Amino acid sequence: MAKGEKLAKDTMLYGIATFGSKVLVFFMLPVYTHYFTTEEYGTWDIVLTTSSLLAPFISFELVSAVYRWLIVERDKQQQIKIITSGTIALVRNLLCFTILAFICLAFISIPYGMLTLLLINVVIINSYMQQCARGLGFNILFALLGLLQTTIHILLILLFLFGFQMRIEAFFYAYILANMAAILLAWILMRFHRFLSLQTYSKSLIKSFLAYAIPIIPGAISWWVMNASDRFIIVRFLGIDFNGLYAVANQIPAILIMISTVFNLAWKDSAIVYFNESDKDNYYTNVFQHFFRLLATSVICITLLTKPIFSIFISEKFIESWQYTGLLLVGTMFSAFSLFWSAGFHGAKKTNVIFITSIIGAIVNILIHILFIHFIGLYAAAWSTVIAFFITWIIRVHTCRPYFTIRLNRKDMLILFPLLFVAILAPYFVGTGELGLLTGLSIILFLAYNKPIIIGVTKLLVHRFKDSRDT
C-alpha cells in the first residue's frame, strides 16, 4: 500500500470514530452549561487536569514505549514479550501508586479523593489497552473503543443527572464506568490473554522501555503545563468560577483537537514506520503542507462561527467564554504543528529533543501567564498558550535537521497567518450580517486550499465503496 494511501486510510478510520465521539461530547455542552454552575464545571475540569498531570509519573510513560515497540514488530513471540513485560511493569506502578494514595487519603481529606484515585487507575489501564490494540494493528478496534466509551459515558451521565438527580458525582461515575467498559471490551475482542506469558517477562526490555520513555515524562509534564496548568493559575488568581468559563472556552478548540488528533494518530504510525526510508524528508514535507492548510483554514472557519454558536447553545452564565476561543484555537494549531514534529522525533527515538523543547515552552507559558494575569485576566491564559506552543514549534523546526527536514511553505504562511488574526478580531467589531459573510468566505477559502485532500478522500471512499460492492 502506498504511503499516502495508508496515511489517508488510517486518518479516515480514526476520523470516523473520533468525530463521532467529539460530536457527542460537543452536543452535551449545552446540558453541562445549563445544569452545572461555573464552580461545579470548573471543579470537574480541575479533576481531569490533575489526573492528566499524575498519569505520566504513575505509568512512567510505559504506554508510549509499548506502542513504539509494537508498531514495528510483527513476530508473535516478540509481541507477547513486549506486552507481558509492559503489563507487569504497569501493574506494579499502579499498585505502588494506589498504596501511597490510600496512605495519603487516610491522613489528608481530599474532596472526591477515592473517586479520583479510581478514575486515574482505569484511565491509565484503558489507555494502555487501546495503545496495545493500535500497536498490534487492530486499528478498527482502537477506533471503535473510543466511540463506544464516549457513547456509554454520555448515556450514563444523562442517567445519573436526570434519573438520580446527581451533581458533580455524575461525572465521576459515568467516566469511570465508561472506561471500565472499554477495558473489558478490548480484553475480550483482542483476546488479550494470548499476549500474556510470565515466562517471557524481560528486565532488559523494561530497561529499554524506560530509556525511551523516561525522557518523555518531563516532556509530557511540560506539555501538560502548556495545555492545563493555566487552570491552576486561574483558580489561584481569579477563582474557580473563572476556570469554569475557561473550561467552556476550550470546548470549541476541542473540535480542532479532534481534527489534529485524528491525523496525528495516523501520522505517528506512518512517521515511525517510514522513518528509515530515503525519501522521508519529501514525504514529511508534502504531508505537512496539506496538514498546515487544513488546520489554518479550519481555525479561520471555526473562529468566525464561535460567537454565533455560543449565543445559541451556551447558557448565559458562560456566554463570555467565546472571547477567548479564537486565541485558544490558534494555540491548539501550533500545538498540533509541534506534535507533527514530535512524531518524527519518535521515529528517530530522540525523545530527549521532545523533552527539552517542551520544557522551554512550559517555562514561557508560566511566565507570561503569571506576569499578565493581573492585567488582562483570562486573556493571559490564552496568549500564554499561543506564544508557548509557537515557540515550541519553531524550536523543533530548527532542531530536527540532524534527523529529518521539513520545508515550510512561506507563501501559505504569509497569506493564512494574517487571515487568522482577522478572524479573531472580526467578531468584536462587525455585526451578525457581516460575520455571516466572512464565514461564507472562510468556507470558500477552506475548500480552495484543501481541494486536493477533499478530492483524494472522495476518490478513496468511492474506491472502497466499489470494492465492498464487488465483494
Side-chain angles (χ1 to χ4, degrees), residues 321-342:
S321 297
W322 74 266
Q323 300 172 29
Y324 316 107
T325 55
L327 288 171
L328 290 171
L329 281 163
V330 175
T332 301
M333 180 186 71
F334 288 134
S335 169
F337 294 165
S338 299
L339 288 172
F340 188 96
W341 263 254
S342 177

Side-chain angles (χ1 to χ4, degrees), residues 26 32 50-51 70 84 96 100 120 133 225 254-255 303 374 384 444 456:
F26 181 75
Y32 296 155
T50 304
S51 301
L70 283 176
T84 298
C96 291
L100 288 174
I120 291 171
V225 169
I255 298 173
T303 299
H374 287 297
S384 65
I444 294 173

Side-chain angles (χ1 to χ4, degrees), residues 154-167:
I154 288 175
L155 291 175
L156 286 173
I157 205 167
L158 289 172
L159 173 65
F160 294 142
L161 290 181
F162 301 111
F164 297 99
Q165 303 298 310
M166 291 182 180
R167 301 298 301 179

Side-chain angles (χ1 to χ4, degrees), residues 58-60 62 83-95 201 206 209-210:
I58 300 165
S59 68
F60 286 175
L62 287 166
I83 292 178
T84 298
S85 301
T87 301
I88 291 173
L90 186 66
V91 170
R92 177 197 61 203
N93 289 7
L94 289 174
L95 285 174
Y201 174 74
I206 293 297
F209 286 168
L210 293 176

Side-chain angles (χ1 to χ4, degrees), residues 28-317:
M28 285 297 292
L29 191 57
V31 175
Y32 296 155
T33 57
H34 282 82
Y35 190 87
F36 294 103
T37 65
T38 53
E39 180 179 353
E40 287 173 326
Y41 199 78
T43 300
W44 172 243
D45 186 65
I46 285 292
V47 169
L48 292 181
T49 302
T50 304
S51 301
S52 67
L53 168 63
L54 293 175
F57 288 114
I58 300 165
S59 68
F60 286 175
E61 286 292 348
L62 287 166
V63 175
S64 297
V66 168
Y67 160 75
R68 176 61 183 87
W69 260 251
L70 283 176
I71 191 67
V72 294
E73 183 60 68
R74 288 295 168 261
D75 181 75
K76 180 67 177 293
Q77 291 305 311
Q78 287 300 312
Q79 290 175 342
I80 293 173
K81 183 178 180 180
I82 292 166
I83 292 178
T84 298
S85 301
T87 301
I88 291 173
L90 186 66
V91 170
R92 177 197 61 203
N93 289 7
L94 289 174
L95 285 174
C96 291
F97 164 71
T98 301
I99 292 169
L100 288 174
F102 271 124
I103 295 171
C104 291
L105 290 173
F107 296 97
I108 304 172
S109 178
I110 300 175
Y112 311 109
M114 293 301 296
L115 286 173
T116 302
L117 173 59
L118 180 56
L119 182 148
I120 291 171
N121 274 274
V122 297
V123 165
I124 291 175
I125 295 171
N126 185 27
S127 175
Y128 180 73
M129 296 292 291
Q130 292 195 27
Q131 291 307 311
C132 284
R134 186 176 162 211
L136 290 167
F138 296 121
N139 288 348
I140 294 177
L141 175 61
F142 171 77
L144 291 178
L145 285 172
L147 183 59
L148 173 76
Q149 179 185 330
T150 304
T151 303
I152 294 174
H153 174 239
I154 288 175
L155 291 175
L156 286 173
I157 205 167
L158 289 172
L159 173 65
F160 294 142
L161 290 181
F162 301 111
F164 297 99
Q165 303 298 310
M166 291 182 180
R167 301 298 301 179
I168 195 171
E169 293 85 357
F171 277 126
F172 282 99
Y173 295 142
Y175 204 75
I176 290 168
L177 290 173
N179 274 273
M180 291 175 67
I183 293 168
L184 181 61
L185 186 66
W187 184 288
I188 293 171
L189 294 182
M190 279 195 294
R191 292 189 291 165
F192 196 70
H193 62 277
R194 296 180 303 155
F195 299 98
L196 298 174
S197 174
L198 293 177
Q199 291 79 10
T200 62
Y201 174 74
S202 170
K203 289 185 178 180
S204 62
L205 185 58
I206 293 297
K207 290 179 181 179
S208 298
F209 286 168
L210 293 176
Y212 171 84
I214 285 178
I216 300 177
I217 298 174
I221 300 307
S222 303
W223 211 251
W224 173 89
V225 169
M226 289 187 280
N227 273 300
S229 68
D230 292 336
R231 271 72 163 183
F232 292 97
I233 298 174
I234 290 168
V235 171
R236 170 64 180 82
F237 290 99
L238 300 178
I240 194 74
D241 288 355
F242 282 88
N243 187 60
L245 293 174
Y246 192 70
V248 170
N250 270 286
Q251 296 307 308
I252 294 293
I255 298 173
L256 191 66
I257 292 173
M258 172 195 72
I259 297 171
S260 64
T261 299
V262 166
F263 172 79
N264 276 310
L265 285 170
W267 169 240
K268 189 175 181 181
D269 292 352
S270 293
I272 292 173
V273 170
Y274 298 117
F275 181 80
N276 292 318
E277 304 237 345
S278 59
D279 66 337
K280 70 173 181 295
D281 288 348
N282 290 330
Y283 175 53
Y284 283 19
T285 297
N286 183 55
V287 173
F288 180 71
Q289 180 174 325
H290 292 300
F291 186 55
F292 175 84
R293 291 177 173 180
L294 177 64
L295 258 62
T297 53
S298 295
V299 169
I300 293 169
C301 291
I302 297 170
T303 299
L304 292 170
L305 285 167
T306 296
K307 187 177 180 181
I309 289 173
F310 270 58
S311 63
I312 295 170
F313 294 107
I314 303 302
S315 170
E316 184 68 29
K317 58 182 177 285

